[in-house]
Amino acid sequence: MKVRQLTRDEARRIAVRAQMLDADRPGDLMTVVDRLTFLQLDPTAVIAPNADLVSWSRIGNAYDPADLRRAVDEERTLFEHRGQESEKEPVIVMVRPMANLGLYRAEMATWPIWTKSREWLAANKGFRKRVLAQLKASGPLQSRDITDSAEVPWQSTGWTHDRNVTQMLELLSSRGEIAVAGRRGKQRIWDVAERIYPAGTVVVPAEEARTIRSEKRLRSLGVARSRIVGEAGIPAEVEGTTGQWRVEPEADATDFEGRTALLSPFDRLVHDRVRALDLFDFDYTLEMYKPAAARRWGYFALPILHNDQLVGKVDAAADRKTSQLLVHAVHQDVRFSRATTAAVNGELKSLAEWLGLEAVRRT
C-alpha cells in the first residue's frame, strides 16, 4: 500500500480537525461524543469536571453540563463504562454512545481478565448472586444500600481493601451484568443491566469489534501511531518525525480554519504526550500529583491551542466563593503575538462566563 506523505502542518491540522477543535464547532453533545468515541469522567474540578471541560472546548458557551447527565440518566443515549489496560494501570471511567454498546459486549462477557479479580469473583459466587438478586428486587441502589455478604474479603494494600460491595459492583459492571442508572451527587446508582441497556443490542464478535473500535479511534485522532490504532486507516509518514503513522483515509487538511481553545489536561489532543511532542513540539505533564515546588506550569494547567499550534499553558482555578476565575500564570511556549494574547484573553473571559463567574482576575 502506498504510504501517504504529510507535512507536520498537515498532520497537525488533520489532528485538530479530527478532534473538532477547528473553527467549525459542533452543535451538540452527542455529535461530540460520537466523534471522540468517549468522554473521560474525572472528579477533579479545579475549573470544571473533565467531561464538561472537553465538551465546552468544542461546543463553547452553548454547552450545558446538564445535557451530559440527562443523556446518561434519562435519555440513555450514553452509558458509563470502565476501561483498564492492565491490572496495574488506573481505571478510567468514561461515557460512551449507547449506539456503540454492542462493540463492547463481547469483551465484557470475558471480564475480568486479571487473575486476582477472576479468582476473587469465583470465590464469591454466593455474594455475586445475592448482589444481583438484591438489585433485581430493589434497584436502583447506591452501594451503601447493598448488603456485604462476601465469602472472601477483597485484599488490597490500597483504599479498596475490604471494600467488598464496591469491588463486586465494579466487576459486575465491567461484565455488563449491572450498569450505572444515574448519580446522586457524585455517588453512582446501580441497577441490573437489562433495565438500563436497550433490548436487542447486537453483540459484535470481539475481533470484529476491536477493528471497528480502532477505526473509530483513528477517526477521532486523525493521525496516530499503530500502538494506538492498530492497522486502522492507511500508512503515513510525517515530515520531521521518525517511524510510520496511520492516517484516517478521508482526513484532509485543506481549507483549514483554526481558532483558540483552552483544553483539559485530559483532552485527547494532548493525552498522548509523545504524539504531542512529535506533531506539536508540545511538552506537557499534568502536575497535580507533584509537590508545589516541583511544578513548572501549575496544579491543573490548561493547554492552549491557537490555530494548529499548542502554544502554552494557563494556570487557573475557579474560585466560586468570590465568583472569579483566578489566572495565576499564562506560560508562553512561543512568544505570543498581540492577536494570540487577545484570543487567549477572550477564551478566559468566555470560560468565566460559562462557569457563571463574574470576573477574570490575574493573581
Side-chain angles (χ1 to χ4, degrees):
M1 181 181 295
K2 186 177 180 180
V3 177
R4 184 173 173 183
Q5 301 295 319
L6 296 172
T7 67
R8 290 181 87 207
D9 286 349
E10 287 174 325
R12 286 195 301 270
R13 290 168 185 173
I14 286 171
V16 170
R17 179 175 279 167
Q19 280 284 298
M20 311 185 85
L21 287 166
D22 60 344
D24 186 18
R25 286 183 182 267
D28 60 79
L29 176 65
M30 287 307 300
T31 300
V32 171
V33 187
D34 182 63
R35 168 58 74 92
L36 301 187
T37 74
F38 70 92
L39 292 175
Q40 179 176 339
L41 300 181
D42 187 272
T44 307
V46 177
I47 294 174
N50 175 68
D52 293 325
L53 193 52
V54 168
S55 300
W56 170 79
S57 294
R58 274 81 182 163
I59 299 169
N61 286 20
Y63 170 67
D64 184 349
D67 294 344
L68 178 59
R69 292 270 53 93
R70 189 180 307 111
V72 175
D73 299 350
E74 301 172 20
E75 299 167 356
R76 306 288 192 216
T77 51
L78 299 174
F79 72 99
E80 286 198 26
H81 179 247
R82 297 168 79 239
Q84 188 179 23
E85 296 300 323
S86 73
E87 201 162 16
K88 295 182 179 180
E89 291 293 320
V91 172
I92 298 176
V93 182
M94 59 201 80
V95 292
R96 295 188 181 276
M98 189 68 82
N100 292 344
L101 175 63
L103 299 176
Y104 297 89
R105 286 299 249 165
E107 286 190 358
M108 284 180 174
T110 66
W111 201 268
I113 60 175
W114 322 122
T115 302
K116 177 182 175 182
S117 298
R118 186 180 292 277
E119 290 177 348
W120 185 79
L121 193 62
N124 281 282
K125 290 181 180 179
F127 181 32
R128 175 183 179 179
K129 289 180 180 179
R130 288 187 289 274
V131 169
L132 288 171
Q134 186 176 359
L135 284 172
K136 192 165 187 177
S138 306
L141 298 171
Q142 291 181 256
S143 61
R144 67 187 181 191
D145 299 322
I146 296 173
T147 304
D148 182 353
S149 60
E151 288 89 359
V152 178
W154 176 258
Q155 300 295 316
S156 171
T157 57
W159 70 273
T160 61
H161 180 72
D162 212 24
R163 299 285 295 271
N164 304 314
V165 170
T166 297
Q167 193 65 22
M168 180 60 73
L169 292 172
E170 297 289 7
L171 290 175
L172 293 179
S173 172
S174 295
R175 288 184 54 79
E177 296 181 40
I178 67 172
V180 176
R183 287 176 182 259
R184 291 195 186 110
K186 295 182 179 180
Q187 297 300 311
R188 288 174 290 181
I189 306 170
W190 301 91
D191 206 345
V192 289
E194 58 259 34
R195 289 203 283 251
I196 306 300
Y197 295 156
T201 298
V202 176
V203 178
V204 180
E207 186 173 350
E208 180 184 351
R210 282 191 290 270
T211 298
I212 296 172
R213 295 202 309 260
S214 293
E215 291 169 350
K216 287 179 175 290
R217 191 178 305 118
L218 179 58
R219 180 171 176 263
S220 77
L221 296 172
V223 58
R225 299 288 192 180
S226 293
R227 63 182 175 82
I228 303 297
V229 298
E231 296 304 305
I234 59 175
E237 292 179 351
V238 177
E239 171 192 34
T241 69
T242 59
Q244 197 170 93
W245 297 77
R246 307 294 297 186
V247 64
E248 209 274 326
E250 304 302 320
D252 188 8
T254 59
D255 299 322
F256 175 85
E257 184 180 352
R259 61 181 174 90
T260 303
L262 305 179
L263 308 180
S264 164
F266 302 107
D267 197 289
R268 257 40 199 180
L269 189 70
V270 299
H271 184 264
D272 185 336
R273 310 305 190 204
V274 176
R275 176 177 178 262
L277 273 173
D278 283 343
L279 298 184
F280 295 90
D281 289 322
F282 188 66
D283 182 19
Y284 182 79
T285 303
L286 177 59
E287 298 180 314
M288 60 189 290
Y289 305 110
K290 291 184 177 182
R295 296 175 191 146
R296 292 179 289 173
W297 305 305
Y299 181 84
F300 197 74
L302 307 181
I304 304 169
L305 174 70
H306 183 64
N307 296 325
D308 65 349
Q309 301 277 353
L310 290 164
V311 297
K313 301 96 176 169
V314 173
D315 180 11
D319 186 342
R320 290 171 175 82
K321 289 184 179 179
T322 63
S323 193
Q324 295 177 324
L325 179 64
L326 305 179
V327 179
H328 305 305
V330 176
H331 301 281
Q332 301 182 19
D333 289 10
V334 296
R335 186 176 180 84
F336 286 8
S337 65
R338 289 183 180 179
T340 304
T341 298
V344 171
N345 289 339
E347 283 301 295
L348 288 168
K349 182 180 179 182
S350 292
L351 177 58
E353 290 173 352
W354 174 66
L355 292 169
L357 304 176
E358 295 177 358
V360 177
R361 182 166 71 87
R362 307 275 177 155
T363 63

